[in-house]
Amino acid sequence: MTDKALDDTLLASLKDSLLRKRGEILAASTGTRPIPASADVNSRQGDMADQASGNNEVHIQLKLKATDAKILQAIEEALFRMEKGIYGVCRDCGDPIAPARLTAIPWTRVCISCKQKQSA
Ligand SMILES: [Zn+2]
């Protein structure tokens, strides 16, 4: 009898990935943001077109941050599920999530078929 689709070795490496990714996001959101060298060249002031592109950049950065926040939340949930021993189970249908999918996205909440239903 085994409820566990994941062996401990894989679980440990996934946990490692989660912790590392969490560290990356936290470092990125609290530390200095790397700015591409080209941003300086394009940020001349006093020109309508430049202002527009400037606004666009801000928009993109906000979007990235929102995505990071979502991932961060998902990582916390994944770590919590690991603590509870229910990691790797689809939130929607309760089926085990394929280890390959977990390896690719360790913080995923749903299996691939539920994910496809979501985005459809
Ligand atoms: Zn599912």
Side-chain angles (χ1 to χ4, degrees), residues 4-24:
K4 276 167 77 176
L6 300 167
D7 64 56
D8 290 343
T9 311
L10 180 60
L11 205 57
S13 86
L14 289 172
K15 184 173 185 177
D16 198 55
S17 301
L18 287 167
L19 292 173
R20 201 167 47 232
K21 181 70 180 175
R22 184 172 69 170
E24 278 173 22

Side-chain angles (χ1 to χ4, degrees), residues 38-106:
S38 61
D40 274 337
V41 182
N42 291 330
S43 63
R44 283 170 291 118
Q45 288 175 345
D47 183 298
M48 288 291 277
D50 283 347
Q51 276 179 26
S53 76
N55 286 342
N56 203 28
E57 275 168 30
V58 169
H59 183 70
I60 289 166
Q61 274 164 10
L62 287 176
K63 228 176 145 181
L64 278 176
K65 280 191 174 176
T67 306
D68 278 353
K70 265 188 172 173
I71 293 174
L72 201 57
Q73 170 74 24
I75 289 172
E76 297 292 349
E77 285 178 26
L79 289 169
F80 178 77
R81 290 196 299 271
M82 275 182 182
E83 294 278 316
K84 296 279 174 187
I86 54 170
Y87 176 77
V89 174
C90 175
R91 187 193 58 184
D92 288 359
C93 70
D95 281 354
I97 301 172
R101 174 164 167 74
L102 290 171
T103 305
I105 316 170

